[in-house]
Amino acid sequence: MPDVITLITDFGMADEYIGVMKGVIVSIAPAVRIIDLSHNINRHAVQEAALVLGAAYHYFPMGTVHVAVVDPGVGSDRKIILLRAGGHLFIAPDNGLLTFMLADNTFEAAYEVANSDLFLKPTSNTFHGRDIMAPVAARLAVGLDVQAVGPAVDKAALFRLTLPPVTINRQLGTVTGAVIGVDRFGNLLTNIHVDDLGAVTGPAGPDQLIVTVREIVCGRLHNFYGAVAAGSPVALIGSRNYLEIGVNRGNAAKMLAAAPGDAVIVARVTGGAAG
Amino acid sequence: MPDVITLITDFGMADEYIGVMKGVIVSIAPAVRIIDLSHNINRHAVQEAALVLGAAYHYFPMGTVHVAVVDPGVGSDRKIILLRAGGHLFIAPDNGLLTFMLADNTFEAAYEVANSDLFLKPTSNTFHGRDIMAPVAARLAVGLDVQAVGPAVDKAALFRLTLPPVTINRQLGTVTGAVIGVDRFGNLLTNIHVDDLGAVTGPAGPDQLIVTVREIVCGRLHNFYGAVAAGSPVALIGSRNYLEIGVNRGNAAKMLAAAPGDAVIVARVTGGAAG
Amino acid sequence: MPDVITLITDFGMADEYIGVMKGVIVSIAPAVRIIDLSHNINRHAVQEAALVLGAAYHYFPMGTVHVAVVDPGVGSDRKIILLRAGGHLFIAPDNGLLTFMLADNTFEAAYEVANSDLFLKPTSNTFHGRDIMAPVAARLAVGLDVQAVGPAVDKAALFRLTLPPVTINRQLGTVTGAVIGVDRFGNLLTNIHVDDLGAVTGPAGPDQLIVTVREIVCGRLHNFYGAVAAGSPVALIGSRNYLEIGVNRGNAAKMLAAAPGDAVIVARVTGGAAG
């Protein structure tokens, strides 16, 4: 069974940067499987990449090495980190890309990628994805021990993004969060998890919840986009298990003029503790 | 020899959706080869994806599993179909994506993908590509019997797109069809097959045929784009074996203001049965 | 160890052309690894593709087959060439795509790809990437002898692009070159190699060199983008080992209104031979 390396970057697909990283990897690990998570992350959008990585990694086999290169600080003194969490390995600059893997209880160990014997030579100051992260990922995929990459790092020392809060008010029966992303279809991705909604769902079930974005009422929770008329907004639990707001056969971000940062409120229809 | 799965979707490459489907596949079928046909199909453009799939599948090895996810009805009661045709397998929503495989004589069998034992759990209402089509394709690639996916479905019950007609008039020496797509280069893809032209080609050969789009005369059939001056329109039999109209080193769709649905007429220069 | 084929084209990712080429390859060479270098080369931009290929190929294992399909002359009498250089194989139209592999001292042999027994049948006039280059690359990857593709071609007979000159004036301590590309980040890629700068670097080292683009002074050479304030221009030796000019967290092409062809001058601060 070949090992797997995933790649997520903000490099785009027009230049040779991704291909070159793969060339470096297969030169070291000829049988490894390489899967692209996304290379169209917006430039320097660390939070966007962190969200994608956090949503995607657990669909891959245990032992997969995930390489994330959104790296505005390349060449500065920011560290490169190898994180072992949840049975997966992650290699990324210490700039918040690993926030979601640090937020749950799956942490196992972290190391600074510092052993220059593992790097491509000469090692540039501008492309650590190619010269450091790709060769280290490849060596890990073919059996290098994680401790060989460099000294252990304390979990508390690792950089985490500050994310918008999710507030649950059981008495009012409300959950308040935010839009944190927009996908290709214009669907609004929020930071409200299906479990957050469970805390305010009455005995009548989740279809008694009303969703509001930017003070625009988007109606009750549904099960799929086509449950409302074409052109109407529809709130549902998306494929990431978080609340999403879409428009059936339309673009919610445009129609609701919504963007990351906008407030999202979910409220129980029949207020009160007995609701 | 590793088995092959191809993917065609309208998901774009910016989000993690494609990568996650691949993660699901390799978790089940570690040695399968995955090839992207296209992920930049326009949103919900079932006909566009059907055309690409119909043009592409036969270049892959027999036994390849082709997964098509352009699925505006995801979560509704539309079925997911496994089609066996021409020695290939196809998994797609029953919304017309399989039109071209149903139009020829290669039909072997069709099944409803209904056996939820084969699905990812929990199974979402919004991403059947990940939760149903990817795992079923992976299991088929590693040897699952097609009959295990669900009950057989009658060929006549499957949904087909209504395509613009191609009309051949042997007496007038004309073939009338339509533009059905535009490629990245602005080339106009038509639904007139090289064999349709054979029916009206006189003894002087195909270079006696004049091609007209939107009543604009594009000249005779040529063998390659560079056969005319730069900036001139050129009609030829494209790489799909269908009539195409391009502009040498230019963009035919823009220059001729042509789009899918526009009429295309091919006429023999020297009319009459003796032509 | 599976063999490797790389692909670089101007086909874009929306149509099925890349997927079909891969289908042809895996039908012949089921175990070969296929890596995309780029499919977003601008249409017919032979120089752009030549630069990418020249910068990327040496990161791949020896014996890799690199296929380049930017081919405005497809179907005309331009030849298709198999080049063996530096332990790698290259298949491309004879239109300048191989310029950089011909410019250095790694030439081993060249052949005209002419043996139609190796082609896909029927062989179209419009898609030699699929019908000629893909099957020949696949057969080479599984062991076909290079001499089987067709007659040897003299190195001097192969077409090369005329590139802007790089002029070194040791007395004045200046190197004059040009912008030859722009990457996704708006970084200006130049044709001035790090070794060219060595010829004018004084004993104080490369940080005594001042870089000018379009007569706009971009300051001294730095080691990484973040070495200057956000929004400021920064000159450095990029990951290709050539001089690049960027803007920290900004877009140099837009900010400096610079484009391929613009003059780039590097000058030693303390002029004169003793500098």
Side-chain angles (χ1 to χ4, degrees):
Chain A
M1 171 165 163
D3 287 302
V4 179
I5 292 175
T6 79
L7 301 178
I8 179 169
T9 77
D10 63 354
F11 294 166
M13 308 284 280
D15 303 304
E16 79 277 12
Y17 304 134
I18 306 299
V20 164
M21 285 182 64
K22 294 178 180 173
V24 170
I25 289 170
V26 303
S27 295
I28 294 169
V32 78
R33 177 191 285 276
I34 306 170
I35 294 182
D36 299 306
L37 269 186
S38 175
H39 299 302
N40 293 317
I41 298 295
N42 284 295
R43 188 182 182 189
H44 294 171
V46 170
Q47 179 177 317
E48 181 188 348
L51 282 162
V52 168
L53 187 57
Y57 81 89
H58 51 91
Y59 290 100
F60 287 84
M62 299 288 271
T64 295
V65 186
H66 305 275
V67 178
V69 195
V70 179
D71 195 9
V74 62
S76 72
D77 60 359
R78 66 95 186 84
K79 292 186 172 108
I80 296 174
I81 298 297
L82 167 63
L83 172 68
R84 211 175 70 194
H88 292 249
L89 295 175
F90 302 87
I91 300 177
D94 183 27
N95 62 10
L97 285 169
L98 303 176
T99 296
F100 292 92
M101 277 64 72
L102 294 170
D104 59 25
N105 296 318
T106 59
F107 179 86
E108 298 165 11
Y111 304 89
E112 182 183 350
V113 178
N115 177 359
S116 63
D117 291 347
L118 307 173
F119 302 171
L120 209 65
K121 304 287 161 35
T123 308
S124 75
N125 289 309
T126 56
F127 194 0
H128 287 178
R130 177 192 68 193
D131 297 337
I132 299 179
M133 293 184 253
V136 169
R139 292 182 208 286
L140 290 166
V142 295
L144 181 78
D145 191 274
V146 289
Q147 300 185 327
V149 307
V153 178
D154 196 60
K155 182 183 176 184
L158 297 174
F159 187 84
R160 302 183 197 198
L161 300 171
T162 304
L163 296 166
V166 174
T167 311
I168 299 173
N169 186 321
R170 287 165 204 272
Q171 198 163 358
L172 290 175
T174 59
V175 181
T176 305
V179 176
I180 54 171
V182 177
D183 76 8
R184 184 204 181 198
F185 297 141
N187 296 316
L188 307 175
L189 312 175
T190 81
N191 62 346
I192 300 177
H193 193 269
V194 62
D195 293 345
D196 298 327
L197 297 183
V200 300
T201 303
D207 55 352
Q208 293 301 309
L209 297 171
I210 291 280
V211 178
T212 307
V213 177
R214 297 185 64 242
E215 305 190 354
I216 301 164
V217 176
C218 299
R220 295 169 192 250
L221 265 189
H222 289 92
N223 284 326
F224 57 99
Y225 299 111
V228 301
S232 292
V234 55
L236 46 70
I237 301 302
S239 55
R240 291 179 178 178
N241 279 325
Y242 282 83
L243 180 69
E244 286 183 22
I245 297 105
V247 163
N248 186 24
R249 303 194 179 222
N251 186 304
K254 287 184 183 162
M255 188 170 148
L256 307 174
D262 285 339
V264 177
I265 302 173
V266 184
R268 194 163 57 214
V269 178
T270 53
Chain B
M1 171 166 161
D3 286 302
V4 179
I5 292 175
T6 79
L7 302 177
I8 177 167
T9 77
D10 62 354
F11 294 165
M13 308 284 281
D15 303 304
E16 78 278 15
Y17 304 135
I18 305 300
V20 164
M21 285 183 66
K22 294 177 180 173
V24 171
I25 290 170
V26 302
S27 295
I28 294 169
V32 78
R33 178 192 283 275
I34 306 171
I35 295 181
D36 299 307
L37 268 186
S38 174
H39 299 301
N40 293 317
I41 298 295
N42 284 295
R43 187 182 183 190
H44 293 170
V46 170
Q47 179 176 316
E48 182 188 347
L51 282 163
V52 168
L53 186 56
Y57 83 87
H58 51 90
Y59 289 101
F60 288 84
M62 299 290 270
T64 295
V65 186
H66 305 275
V67 178
V69 196
V70 179
D71 195 9
V74 63
S76 71
D77 59 1
R78 68 93 186 85
K79 294 187 171 105
I80 296 174
I81 299 298
L82 167 63
L83 171 68
R84 212 176 70 195
H88 293 250
L89 295 175
F90 302 88
I91 299 176
D94 183 27
N95 62 9
L97 284 169
L98 303 176
T99 297
F100 291 93
M101 277 63 74
L102 294 170
D104 59 25
N105 296 317
T106 59
F107 180 86
E108 297 166 10
Y111 304 89
E112 182 182 351
V113 177
N115 178 359
S116 63
D117 291 348
L118 307 173
F119 302 170
L120 209 66
K121 303 288 160 38
T123 308
S124 75
N125 291 307
T126 55
F127 195 0
H128 287 178
R130 177 192 67 195
D131 298 338
I132 300 179
M133 293 184 253
V136 169
R139 292 182 209 287
L140 289 166
V142 294
L144 182 76
D145 190 274
V146 290
Q147 300 185 326
V149 307
V153 178
D154 196 60
K155 182 183 177 184
L158 297 174
F159 186 85
R160 300 182 197 199
L161 301 171
T162 303
L163 297 166
V166 175
T167 309
I168 300 174
N169 185 321
R170 287 167 204 271
Q171 200 163 358
L172 290 176
T174 60
V175 181
T176 306
V179 175
I180 55 171
V182 177
D183 77 9
R184 184 204 181 198
F185 297 140
N187 296 317
L188 307 175
L189 312 176
T190 81
N191 61 346
I192 300 176
H193 193 269
V194 62
D195 294 343
D196 298 328
L197 296 183
V200 299
T201 303
D207 56 351
Q208 293 302 310
L209 298 171
I210 291 280
V211 178
T212 308
V213 177
R214 296 184 65 245
E215 306 191 352
I216 301 164
V217 176
C218 298
R220 297 171 189 248
L221 267 188
H222 289 91
N223 285 326
F224 58 98
Y225 299 112
V228 301
S232 292
V234 55
L236 44 69
I237 301 301
S239 56
R240 293 178 175 176
N241 279 324
Y242 283 83
L243 178 69
E244 286 183 23
I245 297 105
V247 163
N248 186 23
R249 303 194 181 222
N251 186 305
K254 287 184 184 163
M255 187 172 148
L256 306 176
D262 285 338
V264 176
I265 301 173
V266 184
R268 193 166 55 216
V269 178
T270 52
Chain C
M1 169 167 164
D3 287 302
V4 180
I5 292 175
T6 80
L7 301 178
I8 178 168
T9 76
D10 63 355
F11 294 166
M13 307 286 279
D15 303 304
E16 78 277 13
Y17 304 135
I18 306 300
V20 163
M21 284 182 65
K22 293 177 181 174
V24 170
I25 289 170
V26 301
S27 295
I28 294 169
V32 78
R33 178 192 284 276
I34 306 170
I35 295 180
D36 298 307
L37 269 186
S38 173
H39 300 300
N40 293 317
I41 298 294
N42 284 297
R43 187 182 182 189
H44 294 170
V46 170
Q47 180 176 318
E48 180 188 348
L51 282 162
V52 169
L53 186 56
Y57 81 89
H58 51 91
Y59 289 101
F60 288 84
M62 299 288 272
T64 295
V65 185
H66 304 275
V67 178
V69 195
V70 179
D71 195 8
V74 62
S76 72
D77 60 0
R78 67 93 188 81
K79 293 186 172 108
I80 296 174
I81 299 298
L82 167 63
L83 171 67
R84 212 176 68 197
H88 293 250
L89 295 175
F90 302 88
I91 300 176
D94 182 27
N95 62 10
L97 285 169
L98 303 176
T99 296
F100 292 93
M101 276 64 73
L102 294 171
D104 59 26
N105 297 317
T106 59
F107 179 86
E108 296 165 12
Y111 305 89
E112 181 183 348
V113 177
N115 177 359
S116 63
D117 291 348
L118 307 173
F119 302 170
L120 210 65
K121 303 289 158 37
T123 308
S124 75
N125 290 307
T126 56
F127 195 0
H128 286 177
R130 177 192 68 194
D131 298 337
I132 299 179
M133 292 184 254
V136 169
R139 292 182 208 287
L140 290 166
V142 294
L144 182 76
D145 191 274
V146 290
Q147 300 186 327
V149 307
V153 178
D154 196 59
K155 182 183 178 185
L158 297 174
F159 187 86
R160 300 183 197 199
L161 300 170
T162 304
L163 297 166
V166 174
T167 310
I168 301 173
N169 185 323
R170 286 165 204 272
Q171 199 164 356
L172 290 175
T174 59
V175 180
T176 305
V179 175
I180 54 170
V182 178
D183 76 7
R184 183 203 182 199
F185 297 140
N187 295 317
L188 307 175
L189 312 176
T190 81
N191 63 345
I192 299 176
H193 193 270
V194 62
D195 293 344
D196 297 329
L197 296 182
V200 299
T201 304
D207 56 351
Q208 293 303 309
L209 296 171
I210 292 280
V211 178
T212 308
V213 177
R214 297 185 66 244
E215 305 190 355
I216 301 164
V217 176
C218 299
R220 295 169 190 249
L221 264 189
H222 289 91
N223 284 326
F224 57 97
Y225 298 111
V228 301
S232 291
V234 54
L236 44 69
I237 300 301
S239 55
R240 292 179 177 176
N241 279 325
Y242 282 83
L243 179 69
E244 287 183 22
I245 297 107
V247 164
N248 186 24
R249 303 194 180 222
N251 185 305
K254 287 184 183 162
M255 189 172 147
L256 306 176
D262 285 339
V264 176
I265 302 173
V266 185
R268 195 165 53 217
V269 177
T270 51

